[in-house]
């Protein structure tokens, strides 16, 4: 394992963060129907009180609403907050100078002078990785961000980004990718191992598989909205895994399925960033910290997850 650079070490000390895609998003999450800003303010406050200080947002979440909300919540808290946000190169923002400009706009919405982590949201054939990284390097030079991350990059794309940054002595801080008990592609294709080898923090998004791993959805009770369609294929297959998670949780004094799912990602060496819509969910997710699954339990969960023909 490579020595983690001093600039990015703080990310390796964070066990869990809070995802903010839900903040203002109506399409996937139905913001404004079953939950509102008041609920999210409580989600934020309880997470901070529980010691979760790292919030992951993006300029596209709620078309800027998520970043604005984060800014409001930060103003009203005493807790120090670590901010991660993201850039996506829409077709009209393909120059490397577009990136610092996009970050300045994000920072204005959040109301801070710099971010702790700035990530490119997705790779795109419309912009080379070298050019993207040139833009990110500029953000560091202008002190608009402390560190640089990527998201949804494959292993070879990640190595290209890593080398481009290294030429300017900038470490690649993180790669944020889909990782959960129902999506272990990064374990199987070697990306997780490569991140550990290079000292890159693997940030796990959708660690609860968008609510499926909580056990509250099944073939007869689909999640609302678009998730009912996108997750439909997994729903009939997950029951044995959920049953095992519940039984393992009981052996740990009544830990919930969500807590087992999040603890599993932590045991694998990743940093999960679950989203929450209300204070009950946030409080429950925070209970994934402070205890550990045994190696044997992790193996049992791996085996049960292997039985499900997901990714
Ligand atoms: N970089 C990327 O491309 C990318 C992509 C996706 C996500 N992300 C980031 O990762 C974060 C997390 O991923 P995600 O939001 O997709 O999915 P997730 O964290 O796996 O699931 C979040 C959803 O699960 C349900 N939930 C959460 N905690 C619960 C609990 N304790 N009990 C019952 N239900 C609970 C809630 O929805 P319901 O109550 O409606 O079921 C919540 O909205 C996002 O907020 C975002 O910051 C990044």
């Amino acid at each position: 394992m490579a020595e983690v650079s001093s600039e990015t070490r703080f990310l390796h000390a964070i066990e869990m963060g809070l995802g903010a895609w839900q903040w203002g998003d109506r399409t996937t999450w139905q913001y404004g129907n079953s939950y509102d800003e008041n609920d999210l303010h409580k989600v934020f406050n309880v997470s901070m009180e529980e010691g979760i200080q790292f919030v992951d947002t993006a300029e596209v979440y709620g078309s800027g609403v998520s970043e604005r909300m984060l800014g409001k919540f930060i103003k009203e808290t005493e807790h120090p907050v670590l901010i991660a946000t993201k850039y996506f190169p829409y077709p009209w923002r393909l120059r490397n100078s577009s990136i610092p400009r996009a970050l300045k706009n994000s920072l204005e919405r959040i109301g801070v002078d710099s971010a702790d982590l700035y990530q490119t949201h997705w790779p795109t054939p419309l912009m080379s990785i070298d050019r993207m990284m040139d833009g990110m390097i500029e953000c560091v030079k202008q002190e608009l961000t402390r560190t640089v991350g990527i998201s949804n990059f494959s292993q070879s794309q990640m190595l290209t980004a890593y080398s481009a940054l290294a030429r300017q002595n900038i470490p690649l801080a993180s790669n944020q990718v889909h990782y959960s008990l129902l999506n272990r592609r990064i374990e199987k294709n070697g990306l997780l191992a490569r991140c550990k080898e290079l000292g890159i923090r693997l940030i796990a998004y959708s660690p609860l598989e968008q609510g499926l791993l909580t056990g509250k959805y099944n073939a007869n009770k689909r999640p609302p909205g678009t998730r009912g369609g996108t997750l439909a294929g997994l729903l009939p297959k997950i029951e044995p895994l959920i049953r095992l998670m519940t039984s393992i949780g009981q052996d740990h004094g009544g830990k919930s399925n969500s807590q087992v799912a999040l603890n599993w990602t932590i045991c694998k060496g990743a940093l999960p960033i679950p989203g929450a819509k209300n204070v009950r969910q946030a409080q429950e997710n925070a209970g994934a910290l402070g205890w550990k699954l045994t190696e044997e339990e992790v193996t049992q969960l791996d085996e049960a997850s292997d039985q499900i023909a997901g990714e």
Side-chain angles (χ1 to χ4, degrees), residues 117-193:
L117 175 68
Y118 197 40
Q119 307 155 99
T120 49
H121 210 144
W122 289 86
T124 165
L126 299 175
M127 191 177 192
S128 76
I129 292 173
D130 278 341
R131 181 182 290 186
M132 257 187 198
M133 291 306 118
D134 281 347
M136 298 304 261
I137 290 163
E138 198 46 43
C139 292
V140 175
K141 285 188 178 156
Q142 292 184 29
E143 298 184 4
L144 300 171
T145 185
R146 217 166 127 191
T147 61
V148 173
I150 51 179
S151 177
N152 298 300
F153 275 45
S154 69
Q155 196 175 151
S156 69
Q157 291 165 330
M158 179 176 85
L159 294 177
T160 306
Y162 181 90
S163 305
L165 293 172
R167 287 194 286 275
Q168 298 290 323
N169 289 320
I170 295 174
L172 176 60
S174 58
N175 191 359
Q176 183 181 136
V177 290
H178 192 170
Y179 185 44
S180 79
L181 264 165
L182 289 171
N183 186 326
R184 293 171 55 212
R185 191 187 338 189
I186 58 146
E187 242 181 88
K188 300 187 173 168
N189 68 14
L191 181 75
L192 176 61

Side-chain angles (χ1 to χ4, degrees), residues 22 56 151-152 176 206 208 216-217 227 275 277 281 285:
Q22 284 70 10
D56 177 75
S151 177
N152 298 300
Q176 183 181 136
S206 305
L208 299 172
K216 67 181 175 181
Y217 298 119
R227 280 182 295 161
K277 291 179 164 179
Q281 292 181 354
N285 295 346

Side-chain angles (χ1 to χ4, degrees), residues 19-287:
W21 181 14
Q22 284 70 10
W23 303 14
D25 179 273
R26 291 174 197 274
T27 318
T28 304
W29 298 108
Q30 292 91 41
Y31 172 75
N33 285 358
S34 57
Y35 68 108
D36 59 18
E37 183 173 330
N38 194 29
D39 293 305
L40 294 171
H41 202 168
K42 290 182 190 152
V43 162
F44 173 84
N45 282 337
V46 81
S47 301
M48 295 300 125
E49 281 155 23
E50 296 286 348
I52 293 157
Q53 298 180 334
F54 178 73
V55 183
D56 177 75
T57 183
E59 56 180 1
V60 294
Y61 295 168
S63 302
V65 171
S66 179
E67 289 182 330
R68 278 200 195 89
M69 228 184 257
L70 176 60
K72 266 199 214 171
F73 299 166
I74 286 175
K75 273 205 194 88
E76 292 173 27
T77 184
E78 309 262 284
H79 294 278
V81 183
L82 294 164
I83 300 166
T85 191
K86 312 184 195 81
Y87 160 81
F88 186 79
Y90 290 111
W92 59 93
R93 294 191 308 166
L94 297 171
R95 299 155 82 98
N96 45 10
S97 60
S98 309
I99 300 185
R101 205 171 308 126
L103 179 50
K104 279 179 195 157
N105 290 335
S106 285
L107 296 175
E108 205 178 303
R109 282 189 288 273
I110 305 170
V112 292
D113 294 332
S114 73
D116 295 286
L117 175 68
Y118 197 40
Q119 307 155 99
T120 49
H121 210 144
W122 289 86
T124 165
L126 299 175
M127 191 177 192
S128 76
I129 292 173
D130 278 341
R131 181 182 290 186
M132 257 187 198
M133 291 306 118
D134 281 347
M136 298 304 261
I137 290 163
E138 198 46 43
C139 292
V140 175
K141 285 188 178 156
Q142 292 184 29
E143 298 184 4
L144 300 171
T145 185
R146 217 166 127 191
T147 61
V148 173
I150 51 179
S151 177
N152 298 300
F153 275 45
S154 69
Q155 196 175 151
S156 69
Q157 291 165 330
M158 179 176 85
L159 294 177
T160 306
Y162 181 90
S163 305
L165 293 172
R167 287 194 286 275
Q168 298 290 323
N169 289 320
I170 295 174
L172 176 60
S174 58
N175 191 359
Q176 183 181 136
V177 290
H178 192 170
Y179 185 44
S180 79
L181 264 165
L182 289 171
N183 186 326
R184 293 171 55 212
R185 191 187 338 189
I186 58 146
E187 242 181 88
K188 300 187 173 168
N189 68 14
L191 181 75
L192 176 61
R194 195 63 155 171
C195 283
K196 288 183 187 171
E197 199 184 293
L198 295 173
I200 299 166
R201 190 71 160 127
L202 191 299
I203 301 180
Y205 76 64
S206 305
L208 299 172
E209 203 59 31
Q210 302 199 330
L212 248 60
L213 288 166
T214 67
K216 67 181 175 181
Y217 298 119
N218 54 51
N220 300 318
K221 187 171 182 262
R222 287 185 182 202
T226 51
R227 280 182 295 161
T230 52
L231 301 173
L234 283 170
L235 283 167
K237 305 177 200 160
I238 60 175
E239 203 198 317
L241 172 64
I242 299 290
R243 248 189 284 120
L244 175 66
M245 292 167 72
T246 306
S247 140
I248 288 177
Q250 274 161 4
D251 293 344
H252 283 273
K255 300 296 180 203
S256 71
N257 294 326
S258 319
Q259 291 166 346
V260 170
L262 296 170
N263 199 282
W264 175 90
T265 61
I266 294 169
C267 288
K268 293 282 183 171
L271 188 179
I273 46 167
K277 291 179 164 179
N278 55 52
V279 71
R280 192 201 59 73
Q281 292 181 354
Q283 189 95 53
E284 183 177 326
N285 295 346

